[in-house]
């Protein structure tokens, strides 16, 4: 059983790395910046989820009232804005 759990954990870890986020293209970054400006935010680390969803994430965006993690859908519409 222990061997099975070790193999399962290794498989899970390798699949997690396969789903890592990727950098956004320059065109996607421009669209994200427009959305951020509309929210009163700037900066942050922009990434695109590699899962089928195609969501965009901005980690640690600086906004008027604090720092946020922001999630946009594939059409660059706001899904979530969570204060850090």
């Amino acid at each position: 059983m222990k061997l099975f759990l070790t193999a399962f954990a290794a498989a899970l870890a390798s699949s997690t790395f396969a789903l890592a986020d990727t950098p956004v293209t320059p065109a996607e970054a421009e669209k994200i910046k427009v959305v951020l400006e509309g929210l009163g935010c700037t900066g942050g680390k922009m990434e695109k989820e590699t899962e089928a969803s195609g969501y965009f994430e901005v980690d640690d965006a600086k906004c008027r009232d604090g720092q946020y993690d922001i999630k946009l859908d594939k059409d660059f519409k706001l899904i979530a804005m969570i204060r850090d």
Side-chain angles (χ1 to χ4, degrees), residues 43-47 57-61:
K45 182 180 178 186
M46 298 179 200
E47 296 178 318
E57 297 175 330
V58 182
D59 294 328
D60 303 327

Side-chain angles (χ1 to χ4, degrees), residues 24-71:
V24 297
T25 66
E28 291 167 338
E30 286 303 315
K31 290 178 182 179
I32 293 169
K33 286 179 186 177
V34 169
V35 173
L36 292 177
E37 289 172 4
L39 296 170
C41 304
T42 60
K45 182 180 178 186
M46 298 179 200
E47 296 178 318
K48 184 175 184 177
E49 292 185 4
T50 57
E51 300 158 8
S53 64
Y55 292 143
F56 296 95
E57 297 175 330
V58 182
D59 294 328
D60 303 327
K62 295 185 182 2
C63 303
R64 286 177 257 164
D65 62 341
Q67 187 168 299
Y68 288 83
D69 289 341
I70 298 170
K71 191 169 193 173

Side-chain angles (χ1 to χ4, degrees), residues 4 6 11-12 16 27-28 30 42 47 65 75 82:
F4 171 76
T6 303
L12 181 62
T16 301
E28 291 167 338
E30 286 303 315
T42 60
E47 296 178 318
D65 62 341
D75 297 318
I82 303 167

Side-chain angles (χ1 to χ4, degrees), residues 18-19 22 32 67 76-77:
L19 295 175
T22 60
I32 293 169
Q67 187 168 299
F76 302 95
K77 298 202 186 319

